[in-house]
């Protein structure tokens, strides 16, 4: 459905996108995961024709973006990161207007507008002015405006930023539902959980490059030589001593939970437990875990997804 | 169809804004009434004189009758009164002046010689005396034919060129109309800024709808809404204040170049300054200046070289002059000339705005678009 090959974009001295290549199959949810400034939005803007690329090719539905931009635009829908809706109009007026830009008219426009509002759970608010909406409702309307014309490829650029968990869940459910109906989705996020839950395949990005891509198992496999253990302790843990344990590469502290990244399993666990015992640190809970995308990102780049 | 829906959407933004109703309709309606009433005594060539009634103490006779009758024709009512009554009223302080006509002596008794009434009576009396003396002289010399009046009527007051001119309501009925249309430049600017402020420009650019059409739709919508507001204002002025616009349809046609000029001023200011706040300040200043120069707030003295020049170079002056001469004199020369100048300026600014718009919107677009 979407094929990006050797994409390059430079802003002055800054290389925003550096030789990016990936492809998205029809009916797939493909994630672009990376921190702010990784180049995700730049790629989206190039694909949607908003900015020019310096090098590379983009094809959508078999059509070259440079040669058939207008035809390609009919096939795409965009849900931008910032809310892009008219506050002084109603929800229905917003959706139907954007639908009309893609050639929808008459009864079909009306029907699809109402169906889309129902899809995002806003059918009861069709006649309400957007300025009366909560943040989550505005986000949902933002999505509705991007898919009213039923695009073949829907691009969502960080659609859940700054909203409550309930609205976020609703959005994620809507995305899965759309995908089940056959829509191809390109989803960018810096939330690991969203990428893990939604995406069939993920490209992990940092500083304009893709550092790894594949499905979740493939990405985890990239760091299979590492293992991760979570320890829930009481009191203040002896971090300095724990960091000196051979093979312990990284310790993340979150409240009373310590997450260890180690190079081999058995010897580190014994040594870690010994250090904790020496310092009279009580262990409340212990578990080993498969690496998550945060671990993959951290291992490959040395940085966190949300620094 | 897409363009029609776009036009409808743009119109909704303007019409549903409460400030549109307040600023564009109520404000000029109220201001027309305030200024029209306040300046009702200074505008136009007709001065509303007070009713002049003066008591006269006279001996009975033809001279007295002629004096009183001629006075009536020229707007002065001489009320025959007895001397005793006059004395009584003078003593009571209720009489400031009266005329005495006795023994061929005509005397104006007045406590307020500088008043308008006193001056009018004095002027009339002097003219009467001169006429009467000439008549007597003609009769004495037997030249009876020279004793009759030569003029058909008393002098009347007219404008210098003998044409119709507006009263104060008529004046402000036009100048407030063109002034409020000038403020429409900010509506035009706001329409262009809308997509930036709501961040919907991205959606528009990502859609297959051409960006040059976006510019076209916004400028057309702004012009149409400005004209609609003008029409509503004209109708209110006509039916509530009785202001005559000669032919409303023709006046609306004449306002089209002004609507285009105003729209292009708004969009070009925005495109040049790139910020709505800066453009807004500029438009407020330029509107005030052009309206003032065009005699929008009050009629500028025509015998002052500077003001006359300002009036002639102000686009508002062009359209105001054109409307005045059409409505009150039935001539279209001035409005045609003014319209051409407005159109020329408007189209030039529109072109600049369009080039800047395309340059900004297309700066990072794929060449195919």
């Amino acid at each position: 459905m979407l094929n990006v090959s050797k994409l390059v974009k430079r802003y002055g001295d800054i290389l925003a996108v550096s030789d990016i290549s990936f492809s998205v199959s029809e009916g797939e949810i493909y994630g672009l995961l990376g921190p702010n400034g990784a180049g995700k939005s730049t790629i989206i803007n190039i694909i949607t024709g908003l900015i020019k690329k310096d090098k590379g090719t983009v094809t959508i539905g078999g059509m070259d973006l440079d040669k058939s931009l207008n035809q390609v635009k009919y096939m795409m829908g965009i849900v931008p990161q910032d809310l892009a809706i008219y506050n002084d109009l109603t929800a229905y007026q917003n959706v139907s207007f954007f639908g009309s830009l893609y050639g929808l008219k008459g009864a079909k426009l009306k029907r699809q507008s109402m169906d889309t509002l129902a899809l995002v759970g806003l059918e009861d608010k069709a006649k309400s002015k957007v300025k009366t909406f909560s943040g989550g409702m505005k986000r949902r309307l933002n999505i509705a405006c991007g898919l009213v014309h039923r695009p073949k490829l829907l691009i969502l650029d960080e659609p859940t930023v700054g909203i409550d968990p309930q609205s976020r869940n609703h959005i994620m459910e809507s995305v899965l539902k759309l995908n089940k109906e056959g829509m191809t989705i390109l989803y960018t996020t810096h939330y690991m959980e969203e990428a893990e839950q939604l995406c069939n395949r993920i490209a992990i990005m940092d500083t304009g490059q893709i550092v790894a891509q594949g499905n979740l198992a493939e990405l985890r496999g990239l760091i299979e030589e590492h293992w991760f253990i979570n320890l829930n302790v009481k009191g203040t843990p002896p971090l300095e001593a724990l960091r000196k344990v051979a093979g312990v590469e990284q310790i993340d502290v979150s409240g009373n939970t310590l997450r260890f990244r180690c190079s081999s399993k058995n010897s580190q666990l014994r040594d870690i437990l010994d250090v904790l015992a020496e310092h009279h640190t009580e262990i409340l809970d212990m578990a080993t875990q498969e690496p998550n995308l945060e671990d993959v990102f951290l291992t490959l780049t040395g940085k966190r997804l949300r620094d | 169809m897409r363009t029609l829906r776009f036009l409808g959407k743009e119109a909704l933004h303007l019409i549903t804004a409460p400030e549109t109703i307040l600023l564009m309709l109520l404000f000029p309606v109220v201001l027309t009434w305030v200024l029209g009433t306040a300046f009702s005594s200074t505008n136009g060539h007709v001065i509303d004189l007070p009713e002049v009634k003066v008591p006269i103490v006279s001996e009975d006779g033809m001279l007295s009758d002629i004096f009183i009758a001629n006075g009536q024709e020229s707007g002065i009512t001489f009320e025959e009164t007895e001397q005793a009554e006059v004395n009584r009223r003078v003593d009571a302080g209720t009489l400031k002046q009266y005329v005495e006509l006795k023994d061929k002596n005509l005397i104006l008794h007045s406590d307020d010689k500088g008043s308008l009434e006193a001056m009018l009576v004095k002027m009339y009396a002097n003219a009467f005396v001169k006429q009467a003396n000439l008549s007597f002289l003609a009769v004495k010399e037997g030249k009876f034919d020279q004793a009759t009046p030569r003029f058909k009527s008393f002098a009347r007051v007219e404008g210098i060129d003998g044409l119709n001119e507006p009263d104060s309501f008529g004046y402000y009925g036009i100048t407030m109309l063109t002034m409020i249309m000038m403020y429409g430049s900010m509506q035009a600017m706001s329409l262009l800024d809308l997509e930036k402020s709501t961040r919907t420009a991205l959606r528009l650019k990502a859609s297959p709808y051409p960006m040059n059409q976006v510019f076209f739709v916004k400028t057309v919508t702004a012009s149409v809404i400005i004209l609609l507001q003008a029409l509503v204002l004209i109708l209110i002025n006509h039916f509530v204040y009785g202001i005559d616009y000669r032919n409303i349809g023709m006046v609306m046609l004449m306002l089209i170049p002004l609507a285009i000029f105003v729209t292009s001023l708004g969009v070009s200011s925005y495109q040049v300054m790139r910020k709505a706040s800066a453009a807004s300040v500029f438009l407020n200043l330029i509107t005030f200046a052009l309206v003032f120069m065009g005699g929008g707030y009050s009629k500028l003295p025509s015998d002052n070289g500077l003001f006359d020049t300002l009036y002639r170079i102000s686009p508002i002056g062009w359209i105001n002059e054109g409307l005045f001469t059409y409505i009150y004199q039935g001539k279209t020369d001035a409005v045609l000339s003014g319209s051409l100048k407005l159109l020329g300026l408007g189209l030039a600014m529109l072109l600049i705005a369009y080039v800047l718009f395309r340059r900004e919107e297309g700066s990072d677009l794929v060449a195919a678009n």
Side-chain angles (χ1 to χ4, degrees), chain A residues 22 30-34 201-205 210-214 219:
Chain A
F22 66 92
Y30 191 91
L32 290 177
L33 176 69
R201 287 190 304 135
I202 299 156
I204 296 179
M205 287 190 64
I210 290 180
V211 295
Q213 58 177 311
L219 290 171

Side-chain angles (χ1 to χ4, degrees), chain A residues 221-261:
Chain A
L222 291 173
I223 57 169
E224 63 184 355
E225 70 276 13
H226 298 91
W227 71 281
F228 297 84
I229 181 169
N230 284 355
L231 286 175
N232 206 12
V233 301
K234 194 175 181 181
T236 307
L239 289 174
E240 286 300 318
L242 287 167
R243 284 196 178 105
K244 288 176 185 170
V245 172
V248 170
E249 294 176 346
Q250 175 81 24
I251 304 174
D252 283 335
V253 181
S254 176
N256 288 340
T257 302
L258 305 177
R259 184 172 173 83
F260 293 84
R261 190 181 79 210

Side-chain angles (χ1 to χ4, degrees), chain B residues 321-362:
Chain B
E321 183 66 22
L323 289 172
F324 283 133
T325 51
Y326 167 69
I327 292 170
Y328 292 97
Q329 297 161 24
K331 294 178 182 174
T332 55
D333 298 348
V335 80
L336 283 172
S337 152
S339 295
L340 281 172
K341 286 186 271 190
L342 282 170
L343 264 178
L345 262 182
L347 290 174
M349 287 192 287
L350 212 55
L351 183 63
I352 293 169
Y354 177 72
V355 167
L356 291 173
F357 175 83
R358 290 297 281 158
R359 193 194 294 178
E360 185 186 336
E361 299 299 328

Side-chain angles (χ1 to χ4, degrees), chain A residues 9 49-52 66 69-70 73-74 78 82-84 86 88 96-98 100-102 109 142 145, chain B residues 1-2 5-6 9 12-13 194-195 198-200 202-209 364-366 368-369:
Chain A
K9 175 67 183 177
L50 297 176
I51 59 174
K52 281 184 199 167
D66 291 336
L69 178 61
N70 223 42
K73 283 183 173 182
Y74 277 100
I78 180 161
D82 293 322
L83 290 173
Y86 301 109
D88 57 337
S96 65
F97 167 68
F98 289 115
S100 72
L101 294 181
Y102 290 84
L109 174 61
N142 201 38
C145 291
Chain B
M1 195 64 191
R2 291 190 300 177
R5 286 200 75 93
F6 207 137
K9 195 265 300 181
L12 263 180
H13 287 304
L194 175 71
E195 310 301 342
T198 56
R199 299 181 193 273
T200 46
L202 187 147
R203 280 200 199 278
L204 294 181
K205 283 193 252 185
S207 79
Y209 195 76
D364 245 340
L365 286 175
V366 177
N369 202 24

